Amino acid sequence: RWTIFRLFDAAGVPYRAINVDSFEYAKDNMGNKYRSALQSITDCNTFPQCFIDGAFFGGAADAVMKWKSGELQEILIAAGINDEKFDCLEVDPFEFLPKWMSANPLRSK
């Protein structure tokens, strides 16, 4: 599972995932068309991309850095997400990143 989904699951954050690479979007190359449109709107070419309350937030690395700083929790609360489970996340959010990113120098910030 993708980093951001694992982080949100552990923190009890509800989300809706739209997988543009799924078979559902294969007809007429719609998945690639959506991917291209998202890239042009967000100026970001990595996936998954996270939108909160309709606004582009970023990707997995953005999420773990902003969770660690407390900024993501504030954005989620402003979007109406119940924060009662947020404090239950007892691990470093960087633990959700792939192991090849575990030496990320931003981890300690």
Side-chain angles (χ1 to χ4, degrees), residues 8-9 20 24 28 37 45 55 64 69 72-74 79 83 87-88 94 96 103-104 108:
F8 283 173
D9 287 343
V20 297
E24 175 183 3
D28 298 324
N45 61 2
V64 297
S69 74
L72 178 52
Q73 294 90 317
E74 292 174 13
D83 68 337
D87 292 334
C88 296
F94 281 88
F96 295 108
N104 187 324
S108 61

Side-chain angles (χ1 to χ4, degrees), residues 7 25-26 29 34 38-40 48 60 62 84 88 90 96 99 101 103 108-109:
L7 172 63
Y25 298 100
N29 205 25
Y34 286 136
L38 283 168
Q39 287 174 345
S40 67
D62 301 306
E84 65 185 37
C88 296
E90 297 178 1
F96 295 108
K99 296 303 176 207
M101 292 184 75
S108 61
K109 293 182 180 178

